[in-house]
Amino acid sequence: MADFRTRARAWLGAAVLFAAAGLVSGPAAAGPKYGPGTSDKEIRVGQTIAHSGPASAYGRLGQAEAAYFRWLNETKGGVNGRKITFISRDDAYQPSKAVENVRALVEKDEVALIFGNLGTPINMAIRPYLNVKKVPLLFIAAGSSAFNDPKNYPWVMGWQPSLNKEAAFYARHVLKTNPNAKIGVLYQHDDFGKDMLGGLREGLGDQADRLIVSTQSFQATDPTIDSQLVILKNAGVDTLFLFAYSKQTAQAIAKLADLNWKPATYLHLGSASIGATLKPAGLENAKGVMTAGFSKDPTDPRWQDDETIKWYRAWMKENMPGADINDTLYMAGVAYAMTLEHVLKQAGDDLTRENIMKQAANIRDYQNPFLLPEGRINTSPDDYAVITYMKLQKFNGASWDYID
């Protein structure tokens, strides 16, 4: 018996030594988990975005995100003690270039995830590759309903309201306020524009064929959209939808003024920046246009005493000197970056790609400080919709007013 006790004490002592050395597996011995692009010091994040080309105005999203991650690294040491290395490549809004960029980011730069890419056609082009590689594609600046498809594309998640639901939201307002409208649509001839047109038709329901009197498309690389607007005017349109990005939306608003034509005009929310779209179009020309709002506007007097907006103004002055505070694309970039920061914090010390995606799909009641007070972010493994709350707003020539 004594011999047994001696051996038992020896085994117990050895077990303690092995556990202390980290050689015994189990929850008590579990440490940080890392995947490609992550370590105890770094999280590598990749992006492809239009820093040049027809959608270059949206490159400001990437500029703001880069500035926010730099600030986060300098003031807070990054996320959970790990600094963010942000690599943003220019795709000039060309899907083929975006595919090339993403392959380099994954295979050469070995990023943990891809983040914040602009545009439906860009993200449609890269999502098959990233889905096969099991690399998270998170919080992209594109609202296609195709980016909320966790069953078929579990590694892909959007951020802004879906294009389909946004257009249906406008349709409901038209049916309520002008049930005999003569609707015209100017849309970009790609997945983005077609998704919005489809959502408008769905929202109008069995009234769609009666109410829509003309649809005109354009290519993103077209120099102007003047001829399409002349056709829409001649069709007797009194309610116009501009399913376009910033450049063409600004052109359209300016052309409406040239034509002395004042239809009720709805803009895609991604093109409703005062700085990037309405100023180039002429603020007076833009007066009365409508769009969906889901975030605070730093130019709106109602938010001037809001703590988030006061912080943002000071942050912009310090971190992006010379940038136009009225351009809400910068603010959107910071909001996107904060959402990624939230997910990475939530991931803790398990920074595998699998866990990062799992955390993105399990956000609970996160109130991004730039969203309207009623807005909350909730995602689930079955529903990747990030922003779901919207309010209709109208431009008064200087800022946006909410429409009841």
Side-chain angles (χ1 to χ4, degrees):
M1 180 66 71
D3 183 62
F4 173 79
R5 290 195 192 99
T6 301
R7 289 198 303 271
R9 284 195 296 268
W11 291 336
L12 180 60
V16 170
L17 288 172
F18 279 122
L23 299 176
V24 174
S25 62
K33 294 181 180 179
Y34 299 114
T38 62
S39 69
D40 61 342
K41 294 182 173 60
E42 179 188 38
I43 303 171
R44 298 173 73 82
V45 176
Q47 178 185 76
T48 180
I49 201 167
H51 290 295
S52 64
S56 59
Y58 292 89
R60 293 164 192 164
L61 291 167
Q63 294 166 25
E65 288 153 359
Y68 184 79
F69 291 135
R70 282 195 301 270
W71 173 83
L72 191 64
N73 289 339
E74 292 167 2
T75 62
K76 299 184 179 180
V79 178
N80 294 335
R82 300 170 178 92
K83 292 191 175 182
I84 305 294
T85 298
F86 184 53
I87 307 168
S88 182
R89 297 180 181 271
D90 181 18
D91 59 37
Y93 202 63
Q94 297 176 15
S96 59
K97 182 63 175 176
V99 171
E100 178 185 327
N101 285 347
V102 164
R103 285 184 178 275
L105 287 164
V106 172
E107 297 171 18
K108 179 181 177 183
D109 299 309
E110 296 187 320
V111 297
L113 61 104
I114 303 293
F115 160 76
N117 301 339
L118 168 72
T120 299
I122 297 296
N123 288 289
M124 291 292 280
I126 65 176
R127 72 171 183 162
Y129 168 79
L130 293 172
N131 206 57
V132 168
K133 289 287 188 178
K134 297 184 178 181
V135 178
L137 174 58
L138 294 181
F139 309 136
I140 54 182
S144 172
S145 54
F147 302 130
N148 183 5
D149 186 7
K151 181 178 179 181
N152 296 305
Y153 290 93
W155 295 87
V156 181
M157 183 178 290
W159 192 83
Q160 66 193 49
S162 79
L163 301 172
N164 192 278
K165 291 181 179 178
E166 179 194 348
F169 174 74
Y170 301 139
R172 290 193 294 272
H173 185 255
V174 172
L175 290 173
K176 179 180 177 181
T177 59
N178 188 7
N180 293 309
K182 293 183 177 180
I183 295 173
V185 183
L186 178 72
Y187 69 99
Q188 187 162 298
H189 196 266
D190 59 13
D191 291 327
F192 152 63
K194 292 174 184 177
D195 201 5
M196 294 212 76
L197 180 58
L200 179 65
R201 286 190 170 277
E202 287 179 22
L204 294 172
D206 59 7
Q207 300 298 306
D209 289 339
R210 179 179 70 86
L211 297 178
I212 299 175
V213 299
S214 182
T215 61
Q216 298 295 316
S217 67
F218 65 91
Q219 299 294 332
T221 54
D222 289 350
T224 74
I225 38 75
D226 289 0
S227 61
Q228 291 94 325
L229 286 172
V230 170
I231 293 171
L232 289 165
K233 181 185 179 184
N234 291 339
V237 167
D238 63 17
T239 303
L240 178 65
F241 288 89
L242 300 178
F243 295 153
Y245 288 131
S246 184
K247 176 184 174 182
Q248 289 82 9
T249 299
Q251 289 179 338
I253 293 170
K255 186 62 178 178
L256 292 179
D258 290 344
L259 295 171
N260 195 28
W261 179 31
K262 299 185 181 297
T265 303
Y266 296 81
L267 314 182
H268 164 47
L269 60 82
S271 301
S273 167
I274 292 175
T277 305
L278 304 190
K279 275 190 173 181
L283 295 180
E284 188 61 30
N285 296 336
K287 193 172 181 179
V289 301
M290 293 172 282
T291 193
F294 61 86
S295 62
K296 300 168 184 176
D297 185 340
T299 68
D300 192 328
R302 84 181 67 201
W303 302 114
Q304 294 315 296
D305 293 327
D306 179 84
E307 291 302 318
T308 299
I309 296 304
K310 288 194 290 186
W311 172 87
Y312 173 69
R313 286 184 170 276
W315 183 89
M316 283 288 290
K317 185 176 181 180
E318 180 180 351
N319 294 278
M320 300 195 74
D324 184 359
I325 190 71
N326 295 321
D327 189 340
T328 52
L329 287 173
Y330 292 117
M331 190 187 79
V334 176
Y336 278 55
M338 283 184 168
T339 309
L340 181 61
E341 177 191 5
H342 177 80
V343 167
L344 294 175
K345 281 182 178 177
Q346 197 169 287
D349 288 335
D350 185 347
L351 290 170
T352 59
R353 286 169 171 166
E354 291 78 8
N355 190 51
I356 291 171
M357 195 68 228
K358 178 181 178 181
Q359 298 308 318
N362 286 277
I363 302 174
R364 295 288 179 268
D365 288 325
Y366 168 52
Q367 187 173 23
N368 188 291
F370 290 104
L371 297 184
L372 295 177
E374 302 92 335
R376 298 289 189 279
I377 296 177
N378 286 281
T379 60
S380 74
D382 299 320
D383 187 355
Y384 281 5
V386 174
I387 306 296
T388 57
Y389 180 81
M390 295 178 284
K391 292 178 75 170
L392 192 64
Q393 54 187 1
K394 179 183 287 189
F395 188 63
N396 63 22
S399 59
W400 296 97
D401 296 324
Y402 292 121
I403 300 172
D404 188 349

